[in-house]
């Protein structure tokens, strides 16, 4: 268990430090970092790579998808015997 005086001091310290960080961040100019500069390009290239990989997989490796039986299924002759 923490003593009440210690607990209150820690709470006050946390609140002050959070307030100081927010105050500092609001006054600073935000300089662009790697994610600001290249984030969308990296995301778009990753999406393009995945799409190309799936298209290649779906069309070139010889999977028989059997999507529709139309034209492949023929009825058998009726047997009256």
């Amino acid at each position: 268990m923490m003593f009440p005086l210690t607990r209150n001091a820690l709470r006050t310290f946390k609140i002050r430090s959070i307030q100081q960080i927010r105050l500092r961040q609001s006054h600073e100019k935000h300089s662009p970092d790697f994610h600001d500069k290249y984030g969308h390009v990296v995301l778009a290239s990753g999406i393009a790579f995945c799409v190309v990989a799936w298209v290649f997989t779906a069309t070139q490796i010889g999977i028989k998808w059997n999507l529709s039986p139309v034209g492949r299924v023929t009825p058998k002759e009726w047997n009256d015997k």
Side-chain angles (χ1 to χ4, degrees):
M1 248 203 224
M2 294 178 112
F3 294 107
L5 182 62
T6 308
R7 187 173 54 227
N8 288 337
L10 285 175
R11 271 196 209 139
T12 305
F13 177 72
K14 286 179 185 177
I15 291 171
R16 281 187 190 157
S17 65
I18 291 170
Q19 288 172 345
Q20 287 172 350
I21 290 170
R22 292 187 76 195
L23 183 66
R24 224 179 294 136
Q25 286 176 347
S26 67
H27 288 303
E28 283 183 20
K29 281 196 166 192
H30 178 67
S31 61
D33 60 358
F34 178 82
H35 299 289
D36 294 331
K37 289 181 180 178
Y38 307 110
H40 294 295
V41 175
V42 171
L43 182 65
S45 63
I47 290 170
F49 175 80
C50 289
V51 167
V52 167
W54 277 108
V55 167
F56 174 79
T57 301
T59 60
Q60 298 298 315
I61 64 171
I63 296 176
K64 300 215 177 196
W65 294 97
N66 294 329
L67 295 177
S68 173
V70 175
R72 286 188 228 129
V73 177
T74 56
K76 293 183 178 181
E77 290 292 325
W78 185 258
N79 193 358
D80 269 342
K81 295 180 184 177

